[in-house]
Amino acid sequence: MTRTLADRIDAVLPQTQCTKCGYDACRPYAEAIAQGAAAHNRCVPGGRAGVERLSALLDREPLALDPECGVEAPRRVAVIDPGACIGCTKCIAACPVDAIIGAPRRMHTVIGDRCTGCDLCLPPCPVDCIEMREAANARAWSSDDAMRARARHDARRARLEGSLRVQMRAAAQDSTATAATAANARKRLVLEAAARRARELRDRAGQGR
């Protein structure tokens, strides 16, 4: 299969799915770059080295990292305070790569090797029990890490889309059932009105004799 320009750009991106570039995930950003709709210096996790790789790929002059998207920093991971976590699952829903595990009303835990440092779990936490810390092993985010993160993100997206389709089918079935019930109710009212009218006519006819 021939790789498109968007495919090649996406392969260079770190797949943190952090949205700091202004797009919902790495793939939409790659497509925007390929279409000329976005500059290639908006990936904060990729940093200067990432911008240089994109510049070489696109045969463009290297640019400074766009400061509106953030500042390059050492890799960080999310850490949950077990004493403060209330098990609301909002951080699990927000994580784009399924790096947080837990259950409702149970403490949640971040799988450090999976965490991309996207920060997306911070805003929805109602008790501020999550903080970002510099990764303990301090190793750079590798291309293998990116590949695995992309796979987890794609699997999560497919799962959510499948769940949405199920919900939409159920809603459609409920809507159809509701419409059928309403139609039957209207038909019953019409029949009852017709029967009542017929009785009234018979009664009048009997009184006129």
Side-chain angles (χ1 to χ4, degrees), residues 104-158:
R105 295 182 294 280
R106 296 290 187 273
M107 186 195 79
H108 304 334
T109 300
V110 176
I111 304 174
D113 288 342
R114 290 189 179 186
C115 180
T116 66
C118 68
D119 299 351
L120 293 176
C121 57
L122 299 184
C125 179
V127 293
D128 294 328
C129 71
I130 308 174
E131 66 173 313
M132 302 303 297
R133 298 179 186 173
E134 188 170 337
N137 54 20
R139 67 174 176 80
W141 188 251
S142 69
S143 58
D144 286 342
D145 290 322
M147 182 177 63
R148 287 189 287 267
R150 182 194 292 112
R152 289 192 294 271
H153 176 69
D154 290 348
R156 176 179 181 272
R157 183 179 59 187

Side-chain angles (χ1 to χ4, degrees), residues 17-75:
Q17 320 300 343
C18 66
T19 74
K20 290 181 173 62
C21 61
Y23 292 84
D24 291 339
C26 295
R27 179 67 192 194
Y29 178 46
E31 293 174 351
I33 295 175
Q35 295 164 5
H40 62 284
N41 64 335
R42 299 181 61 83
C43 180
V44 176
R48 185 180 63 182
V51 175
E52 290 175 351
R53 286 193 292 271
L54 286 172
S55 298
L57 172 64
L58 299 167
D59 193 21
R60 300 177 186 173
E61 289 294 325
L63 300 174
L65 189 65
D66 189 337
E68 292 186 358
C69 299
V71 179
E72 185 174 4
R75 178 173 168 247

